[in-house]
Amino acid sequence: MKIRTILISFFIVCFCGSLPATALSNDLDPFSGQSGELRIAGGTAHIPVVKEAAKLIMESNADIQISIAGGGSGAGIKQVGEGLIDIGNSGRKATDNEIRTYGLSLYKWAIDGVSVIVHPDNPVKTLTSAQLKAIFDGTVTTWKALGGEDRSINVFTRDASSGTRKVFWQKALDKGKISESAQFVVSNGAMKSAVAQNPYAIGYMSAGYVDESVSAVTLNDVVPSPQNINSGTYPVSRGLYSNTKGEASGLAGLFIDFLLSETGQKIVADKGFIPVK
């Protein structure tokens, strides 16, 4: 416990240095005197931002406990709609039917791109939409056909409940087929690990998760940079949402307000996403 406290305190000292102290203090003030547990689950793209926000809040008030889980966008929407959690995160906008069925309120606090990724040692770093579709539908099966090594392409994808998959399928594949031979992974983090460990893999994940362990592919000569995602030049993008059953209130409402505050939006930017403010 002592180690955990020291680590969190160090984080806050570092974080505070990048924000005016008054802004951080003001944004945390609403949590003063509050207590209870906040349960958050759903989209995995959200986790880096939500974890950092939760650390700051819990360090400022030991009477607040925040639990964070993944499960995918579909699970987040369903679980919050059924009252199992307080906030259900989704990397896609809830459908009209979901909003109507569960009485959802939607709060968008970041913009994200979905990047195609390959292993850093893979020489194929740029693809056209046609080539990408051919890879995922199983028409093109070797990297040699794309200018790489004479090795089979190992395709990784997400399950049907994933908001990242839905956006990728709609905007990158134009709702085209995903081969039955594609291997499933359960989260953005798992996708990054799978591709980072396989020199002949290809997959897709939240642009906010891209680091030196994988290479983001240039699609139709457009790099999935924050600038290109924000301008719409890179079209495979989506909002990151937190959803509540009914209007957000209590700790859920305060948490979402914090994500939209100056401090929260700086966390969004620091984690590689695009603030909405």
Side-chain angles (χ1 to χ4, degrees), residues 19 24 56 59 65 78 86 89 93 95 107-108 131 139 185-186 206 240 249 261:
L19 262 182
L24 179 61
L56 283 173
E59 180 65 14
Q65 295 298 313
K78 185 174 187 290
D86 305 298
N89 290 329
K93 187 175 181 179
T95 65
Y107 302 91
K108 184 170 78 170
Q131 289 172 326
T139 302
V185 292
V186 298
S206 162
L240 296 186
S249 61
S261 70

Side-chain angles (χ1 to χ4, degrees), residues 4-70:
R4 177 180 180 272
T5 302
I6 290 172
L7 289 175
I8 292 176
S9 298
F10 177 73
F11 168 83
I12 290 176
V13 169
C14 294
F15 188 87
C16 289
S18 61
L19 262 182
T22 52
L24 179 61
S25 176
N26 290 341
D27 293 340
L28 288 171
D29 277 349
F31 296 96
S32 179
Q34 300 291 326
S35 63
E37 180 183 4
L38 180 64
R39 301 161 299 171
I40 304 172
T44 60
H46 308 59
I47 289 178
V49 174
V50 172
K51 276 190 173 181
E52 299 292 6
K55 285 181 182 180
L56 283 173
I57 294 165
M58 288 191 290
E59 180 65 14
S60 73
N61 186 340
D63 293 327
I64 296 174
Q65 295 298 313
I66 303 172
S67 63
I68 301 165

Side-chain angles (χ1 to χ4, degrees), residues 153-158 179-185 191 198 201:
I153 300 174
N154 301 130
V155 179
F156 287 88
T157 189
R158 297 283 303 280
S179 171
E180 292 181 2
S181 65
Q183 302 174 65
F184 289 93
V185 292
M191 179 69 79
N198 188 327

Side-chain angles (χ1 to χ4, degrees), residues 184-214:
F184 289 93
V185 292
V186 298
S187 67
N188 281 281
M191 179 69 79
K192 180 165 66 174
S193 295
V195 175
Q197 295 170 18
N198 188 327
Y200 308 107
I202 188 169
Y204 55 90
M205 68 179 189
S206 162
Y209 271 71
V210 174
D211 59 24
E212 67 279 356
S213 68
V214 294

Side-chain angles (χ1 to χ4, degrees), residues 87-109:
I87 295 175
N89 290 329
S90 62
R92 61 170 176 83
K93 187 175 181 179
T95 65
D96 290 342
N97 184 58
E98 288 169 332
I99 294 170
R100 183 170 55 252
T101 300
Y102 295 126
L104 299 179
S105 292
L106 283 56
Y107 302 91
K108 184 170 78 170
W109 45 263

